[in-house]
Amino acid sequence: MSNILDKIRSPLDLKSLTYPELSQLAVEIRNELVNTVSSNGGHLASSLGVVELSIALHRVFNSPSDRIIWDVGHQSYPHKLLTGRREKFTTLRQYGGLSGFPDRTESVHDPFGTGHASTSVSAALGIAAARDFAGDDFNVVAVIGDGSLTGGMAFEALNHTGHLRTKMIVVLNDNA
């Protein structure tokens, strides 16, 4: 069987894959994650847990036009593999290599530089509000983990989002 991950240069490449090919891609991404993180260090479990979610988000939405904000930045490794950074992935967390977190200077697919937790909803709300003010039309997605949802900033942002009634999507990753 050919390596599907080798053919992924951008999220657009996911749109034509069949469901069996998407399943195979998930296996290949997990293998790449295990190989790289076991060599370089990093956050393995959190990235392994969002492989299918990352594939689904990039298949459904149109990044970078649509903005996907990762709350826990170290869950973004599959996202990096799907957004044209495969060739440099072996440099993850190495001097001069790919960042261990989303990095706006690294890719147009990283609209917000996150570190650890509880900022995705507020960042997404800011982007969505700016979109509405400018009269633009694109989706804004905040991916937040169940641990991050316990942060006060996340609750404040959810409350503010409800108050403003701004169109955006919040995906709760409950790690199941």
Side-chain angles (χ1 to χ4, degrees), residues 35-128:
N35 290 337
T36 301
V37 173
S38 64
S39 172
N40 296 11
H43 300 87
L44 183 59
S46 54
S47 288
L48 290 174
V50 295
V51 171
E52 284 83 3
L53 175 58
S54 301
I55 292 170
L57 288 170
H58 281 296
R59 184 168 162 109
V60 170
F61 296 102
N62 297 309
S63 178
S65 299
D66 293 332
R67 308 322 197 271
I68 301 171
I69 312 297
W70 294 93
D71 196 81
V72 180
H74 50 258
Q75 288 184 340
S76 69
Y77 298 174
H79 159 78
K80 289 177 181 274
L81 288 168
L82 298 171
T83 56
R85 293 173 264 186
R86 167 82 189 292
E87 291 178 9
K88 287 189 73 177
F89 198 71
T90 58
T91 69
L92 183 71
R93 299 175 56 93
Q94 304 297 304
Y95 180 76
L98 292 179
S99 172
F101 303 100
D103 183 341
R104 292 176 33 202
T105 64
E106 193 176 277
S107 175
V108 296
H109 297 279
D110 294 351
F112 184 72
T114 54
H116 283 282
S118 302
T119 59
S120 65
V121 180
S122 60
L125 177 58
I127 291 169

Side-chain angles (χ1 to χ4, degrees), residues 128-164:
R131 172 205 60 208
D132 296 346
F133 184 76
D136 289 332
D137 183 28
F138 55 84
N139 292 298
V140 180
V141 181
V143 181
I144 187 165
D146 54 1
S148 301
L149 194 57
T150 63
M153 183 179 262
F155 281 114
E156 288 291 332
L158 287 169
N159 184 50
H160 196 189
T161 301
H163 175 74
L164 293 179

